[in-house]
Amino acid sequence: MLRFFTGEDLADYMAAGDPLAQYLGRVDSVGERWLRESPAKRMIAWELYEGLLTSSGRWILDVGACHTSLQHELADRHSYTDCDLGEHDGFRSGSLDWRDLPTRPYDVIVANDVFPNVDQGLQAFLTRFYGSGELRMSLTIYADKFYRARRVDGEELLTVQAWDWPQTRRVLVDRGIRIGEAQHAPARSLFRNGRQVALLTC
């Protein structure tokens, strides 16, 4: 299933009492502050982690997870692999790229705000993990945006064009993922920078 988050979703989440907020407060980190400052980020995280925060005993791969209280909660409850190249905080023993993980089954694979722009390997990720466990992803896209980025293994300054919805949709359709009613991104964004976020569960 794929759907875009809307203002109505955010209103419903807040009317339900902002349930993710109760899990915050165990750490002080960049990722934690992002969650505290953004109701929309908390809503999206709740959609991705709901159920996992109250259950136990599952094999979970969390790709792109920033250091937050959620990761501690999940690690306490599950066999939990936190896979992130980010350098925001020091929760992980060593930075991991999902490409370097040994092949093994997972019950749930979560990827929050990673694809297709922080990591543009969406197609390769789906090739490896789609169909191998329950997949929960937030996909962040832009109508028209580019970044300046510097290579970590060289001196080049790169211009990277952010993925838009048509480009992202093509990759999903090529993998056999049904788009359903999410043929077009909503006109209004929940974020100041204009990004749109879709929830993919399969």
Side-chain angles (χ1 to χ4, degrees):
M1 183 182 83
L2 188 140
R3 65 179 177 84
F4 280 97
F5 289 104
T6 66
E8 289 77 12
D9 293 320
L10 181 55
D12 290 344
Y13 169 81
M14 295 304 291
D18 194 5
L20 189 86
Q22 67 182 301
Y23 293 97
L24 302 179
R26 291 178 65 173
V27 300
D28 179 19
S29 67
V30 173
E32 186 98 351
R33 289 194 293 275
W34 287 345
L35 285 172
R36 286 193 175 281
E37 292 169 1
S38 174
K41 279 184 173 289
R42 293 196 301 277
M43 172 194 65
I44 293 166
W46 181 249
E47 290 280 351
L48 290 168
Y49 295 109
E50 184 182 6
L52 302 177
L53 294 167
T54 55
S55 63
S56 61
R58 305 184 78 181
W59 289 89
I60 297 174
L61 172 62
D62 199 354
V63 178
C66 291
H67 178 206
T68 73
S69 297
L70 304 182
Q71 279 60 57
H72 286 274
E73 186 73 29
L74 293 167
D76 288 347
R77 292 175 169 274
H78 302 275
S79 179
Y80 179 73
T81 300
D82 172 17
C83 183
D84 191 356
L85 287 176
E87 297 297 329
H88 304 301
D89 294 286
F91 174 60
R92 52 199 65 81
S93 59
S95 295
L96 286 174
D97 189 325
W98 59 267
R99 295 166 179 84
D100 300 326
L101 290 175
T103 300
R104 58 141 299 138
Y106 294 95
D107 296 318
V108 184
I109 302 108
V110 180
N112 186 10
D113 196 19
V114 178
F115 300 102
N117 283 302
V118 174
D119 185 328
Q120 296 197 340
L122 175 62
Q123 187 168 8
F125 183 81
L126 291 173
T127 297
R128 179 166 181 185
F129 292 108
Y130 178 57
S132 64
E134 180 186 350
L135 188 59
R136 305 180 181 190
M137 302 179 70
S138 66
L139 302 172
T140 301
I141 55 99
Y142 296 86
D144 184 19
K145 185 179 180 67
F146 67 89
Y147 300 95
R148 303 289 188 205
R150 190 174 298 280
R151 284 179 50 186
V152 297
D153 61 345
E155 298 300 319
E156 289 181 285
L157 183 65
L158 308 176
T159 300
V160 181
Q161 182 69 38
W163 284 37
D164 59 14
W165 176 231
Q167 183 179 6
T168 306
R169 182 176 57 203
R170 282 193 298 273
V171 170
L172 299 178
V173 171
D174 285 348
R175 289 300 310 162
I177 295 171
R178 298 182 64 182
I179 301 302
E181 297 181 0
Q183 294 296 330
H184 305 283
R188 300 187 65 181
S189 170
L190 297 174
F191 297 93
R192 212 177 290 177
N193 65 0
R195 70 185 184 269
Q196 295 288 357
V197 181
L199 174 68
L200 174 64
T201 55
C202 51

